[in-house]
Amino acid sequence: MGLGKVVILCTMAALVAGQEKSARSAMTTALLRDLRNANDIYVRPGADIGGPTVWVNMHLFGLEKLKERTNVLQAGMSVDLRWNDPRLSWSPEEFGNLTTIFFPIKDMWIPDITIWQSADPLTPFFSKEQDICQIFSTGDVVWAPKARMTVYSNMTVGANGEVHHRARAYLGSWMLGVPQIDIHPSSPTIGSTMLQWSPLTGINTSVERVIQVFNEIPGISGYPLLEVTIEAIERGNETTGELIQ
Ligand SMILES: *[C@@H]1O[C@H](CO)[C@@H](O)[C@H](O)[C@H]1NC(C)=O
Ligand SMILES: *[C@@H]1O[C@H](CO)[C@@H](O)[C@H](O)[C@H]1NC(C)=O
Ligand SMILES: *[C@@H]1O[C@H](CO)[C@@H](O)[C@H](O)[C@H]1NC(C)=O
Ligand SMILES: *[C@@H]1O[C@H](CO)[C@@H](O)[C@H](O)[C@H]1NC(C)=O
């Protein structure tokens, strides 16, 4: 086989690969356009039958006591939110077998989940940085923003001088109650395997679904919330010294 033939064959292979690539990106563009046109971001998914169920899983990557407010704990975390939006589903066969796509959250409905009694109520819970989510052809949505939780803690000093913290926070939709939305923990605890160099130790967590009822709000039969409890012990000052060395 002459060199010319090899070059031609290589060029043809590159052309075919290029065509497949551009067909794929054309499919992605068509799918994004379809999803954008089909979705009304002001209406929650499944509004006519109640509303969506949001599954929440949390992973801590930092937990500390504020210097200036000693009975306030601040937790850095990643929050994995999952729900189904039937308006964002598609038939993979119609779009070159694409089964998943990344989508900007500004163009779709997302739950207004927040910390109810935040010790820093004017600071948003979710970071603005993670503005892309993943959508599957079934309409399943995964959004995993970083978040910061600032909550009051009940601080007690044990007989041995050990300082214990017990903080409780409620996580849920601010506006939507039963039956417009539901919220469930994907795990009964907060993941702490990503927690390193935390000034607090002995960390125990629990996450439980509760219904908060306010009698003074007519027409609302309660808000589904996740009750998050974090217990931790402050490291002794000796330990801190060791860490600095
Ligand atoms: C999609 O998948 C089907 C079944 O596996 C296959 O026959 C078809 O060629 C695929 N279409 C594309 C565009 O890859
Ligand atoms: C704080 O913790 C102590 C010791 O566990 C307990 O006796 C007390 O009731 C708690 N206070 C609040 C407001 O939860
Ligand atoms: C966490 O749980 C363990 C085992 O039950 C217990 O020994 C530890 O004291 C707990 N930590 C706190 C801060 O309550
Ligand atoms: C460490 O704690 C002990 C008693 O709890 C105290 O006497 C000492 O001054 C502390 N050291 C520092 C560097 O804070």
Side-chain angles (χ1 to χ4, degrees):
M1 196 156 46
L3 184 62
K5 226 175 195 171
V6 173
V7 170
I8 289 168
L9 279 177
C10 286
T11 313
M12 274 171 66
L15 271 177
V16 170
Q19 270 165 6
E20 270 171 15
K21 234 181 210 164
S22 74
R24 200 153 182 85
S25 85
M27 282 300 177
T28 308
T29 308
L31 176 56
L32 280 172
R33 197 175 48 228
D34 256 43
L35 293 177
R36 273 211 183 88
N37 290 341
N39 188 23
D40 182 347
I41 61 169
Y42 301 111
V43 180
R44 66 184 184 281
D48 41 359
I49 51 160
T53 295
V54 181
W55 292 85
V56 179
N57 198 15
M58 287 169 272
H59 287 275
L60 281 177
F61 41 66
L63 182 64
E64 57 189 294
K65 183 178 79 165
L66 291 190
K67 265 201 187 72
E68 64 280 19
R69 296 156 83 192
T70 52
N71 67 330
V72 173
L73 292 188
Q74 198 165 72
M77 52 174 70
S78 129
V79 185
D80 178 335
L81 302 141
R82 286 159 198 262
W83 67 92
N84 184 272
D85 190 335
R87 299 165 302 180
L88 297 176
S89 63
W90 69 89
S91 306
E93 311 82 63
E94 287 174 29
F95 294 95
N97 294 341
L98 281 179
T99 54
T100 181
I101 200 166
F102 293 91
F103 200 72
I105 59 165
K106 69 171 175 52
D107 291 336
M108 57 183 285
W109 179 91
I110 55 162
D112 63 333
I113 282 172
T114 190
I115 299 288
W116 271 43
Q117 303 89 338
S118 170
D120 197 0
L122 298 189
T123 302
F125 174 50
F126 292 124
S127 159
K128 293 267 175 276
E129 213 175 52
Q130 289 74 43
D131 54 3
I132 300 282
C133 71
Q134 190 171 11
I135 303 179
F136 295 88
S137 56
T138 53
D140 285 345
V141 178
V142 180
W143 181 43
K146 289 187 277 185
R148 190 168 69 184
M149 186 164 93
T150 310
V151 287
Y152 295 107
S153 95
N154 180 7
M155 201 168 87
T156 51
V157 182
N160 53 358
E162 221 174 44
V163 183
H164 280 249
H165 287 270
R166 186 185 164 83
R168 179 156 284 172
Y170 291 90
L171 199 79
S173 165
W174 186 248
M175 292 302 294
L176 304 176
V178 177
Q180 294 118 20
I181 198 167
D182 203 354
I183 183 165
H184 281 275
S186 306
S187 157
T189 58
I190 302 183
S192 56
T193 50
M194 294 198 283
L195 201 59
Q196 279 177 316
W197 306 114
S198 170
L200 295 171
T201 183
I203 292 157
N204 294 329
T205 61
S206 70
V207 187
E208 212 179 306
R209 179 182 174 276
V210 296
I211 300 286
Q212 174 76 54
V213 179
F214 297 103
N215 292 329
E216 66 270 25
I217 305 181
I220 294 278
S221 38
Y223 291 89
L225 299 174
L226 295 186
E227 183 181 82
V228 175
T229 308
I230 300 178
E231 287 179 341
I233 301 169
E234 276 180 37
R235 285 188 203 274
N237 57 6
E238 307 82 5
T239 321
T240 313
E242 268 172 31
L243 283 177
I244 287 164
Q245 276 164 27

Short mmCIF file of all heavy atoms in Angstrom, two decimals, residues 164 202 204 231-233, ligand 3:
data_model
loop_
_atom_site.label_atom_id
_atom_site.label_comp_id
_atom_site.label_asym_id
_atom_site.label_seq_id
_atom_site.Cartn_x
_atom_site.Cartn_y
_atom_site.Cartn_z
N HIS A 164 -18.65 19.82 74.51
CA HIS A 164 -19.55 19.13 73.58
C HIS A 164 -20.44 20.13 72.85
O HIS A 164 -20.87 21.11 73.45
CB HIS A 164 -20.48 18.18 74.35
CG HIS A 164 -19.83 16.90 74.72
ND1 HIS A 164 -20.18 15.71 74.14
CD2 HIS A 164 -18.84 16.63 75.60
CE1 HIS A 164 -19.43 14.75 74.68
NE2 HIS A 164 -18.61 15.28 75.56
N GLY A 202 -15.11 13.46 66.98
CA GLY A 202 -16.16 12.61 67.55
C GLY A 202 -17.52 12.91 66.98
O GLY A 202 -18.52 12.92 67.67
N ASN A 204 -21.01 12.85 65.39
CA ASN A 204 -22.16 11.97 65.13
C ASN A 204 -23.24 12.80 64.46
O ASN A 204 -23.49 13.92 64.86
CB ASN A 204 -22.74 11.43 66.44
CG ASN A 204 -21.77 10.52 67.16
OD1 ASN A 204 -20.97 9.85 66.54
ND2 ASN A 204 -21.85 10.50 68.48
N GLU A 231 -23.58 16.20 66.46
CA GLU A 231 -22.91 16.22 67.76
C GLU A 231 -21.42 16.16 67.52
O GLU A 231 -20.97 15.42 66.64
CB GLU A 231 -23.32 15.00 68.59
CG GLU A 231 -24.72 15.07 69.11
CD GLU A 231 -25.07 13.81 69.90
OE1 GLU A 231 -24.37 12.78 69.75
OE2 GLU A 231 -26.03 13.87 70.67
N ALA A 232 -20.67 16.94 68.29
CA ALA A 232 -19.21 16.93 68.10
C ALA A 232 -18.52 17.38 69.38
O ALA A 232 -19.14 18.00 70.25
CB ALA A 232 -18.84 17.85 66.95
N ILE A 233 -17.24 17.07 69.48
CA ILE A 233 -16.42 17.44 70.64
C ILE A 233 -15.28 18.32 70.13
O ILE A 233 -14.69 18.03 69.10
CB ILE A 233 -15.85 16.17 71.31
CG1 ILE A 233 -16.99 15.25 71.75
CG2 ILE A 233 -14.96 16.53 72.50
CD1 ILE A 233 -16.53 13.87 72.18
C1 LIG B 3 -20.76 9.78 69.17
O1 LIG B 3 -21.16 8.43 69.35
C2 LIG B 3 -20.22 7.64 70.05
C3 LIG B 3 -20.74 6.23 70.06
O2 LIG B 3 -22.09 6.19 70.43
C4 LIG B 3 -20.00 8.21 71.47
O3 LIG B 3 -19.04 7.46 72.15
C5 LIG B 3 -19.53 9.66 71.34
O4 LIG B 3 -19.43 10.26 72.64
C6 LIG B 3 -20.52 10.46 70.51
N1 LIG B 3 -19.99 11.81 70.31
C7 LIG B 3 -20.62 12.90 70.75
C8 LIG B 3 -19.97 14.18 70.46
O5 LIG B 3 -21.69 12.84 71.34
#
